[in-house]
Amino acid sequence: MMQPEKENTITFAVQDDKELKIRHTLSQVYSALKEKGYDPINQIVGYILSEDPTYITSHNNARSLICKLDRDELLNALVRFYLRGK
């Protein structure tokens, strides 16, 4: 009697993909702000609090990149990252 083949099921967490995208985007924005001589942390916090894109430089397309992120997902990921102690 033949045994049925076992399926190799690959699972992934959508949340992990979102967090990776957020991390990558924030890294790019941080670098662009740093290159232009801004304090990246203050500028990113200003953007998050006000949702005013002028806090983010257009250098290296940083403003466009951060505007593609959902602000609620960004805040959620930041809090989750902070609470995990990373």
Side-chain angles (χ1 to χ4, degrees), residues 44-74:
I44 293 169
V45 168
Y47 169 73
I48 291 170
L49 292 176
S50 69
E51 210 169 355
D52 180 358
T54 60
Y55 276 96
I56 307 300
T57 182
S58 59
H59 178 66
N60 288 344
N61 211 27
R63 185 178 298 156
S64 175
L65 290 171
I66 203 162
C67 286
K68 290 178 184 175
L69 296 179
D70 179 85
R71 191 166 146 248
D72 289 339
E73 287 179 5
L74 173 58

Side-chain angles (χ1 to χ4, degrees), residues 14-15 17-23 26 48 51 66 68-81 84:
V14 174
Q15 194 63 40
D17 287 346
K18 285 181 186 178
E19 286 186 20
L20 284 174
K21 179 183 177 187
I22 289 169
R23 182 180 300 206
L26 281 177
I48 291 170
E51 210 169 355
I66 203 162
K68 290 178 184 175
L69 296 179
D70 179 85
R71 191 166 146 248
D72 289 339
E73 287 179 5
L74 173 58
L75 286 168
N76 191 304
L78 289 170
V79 170
R80 192 171 26 260
F81 183 81
R84 275 191 245 155

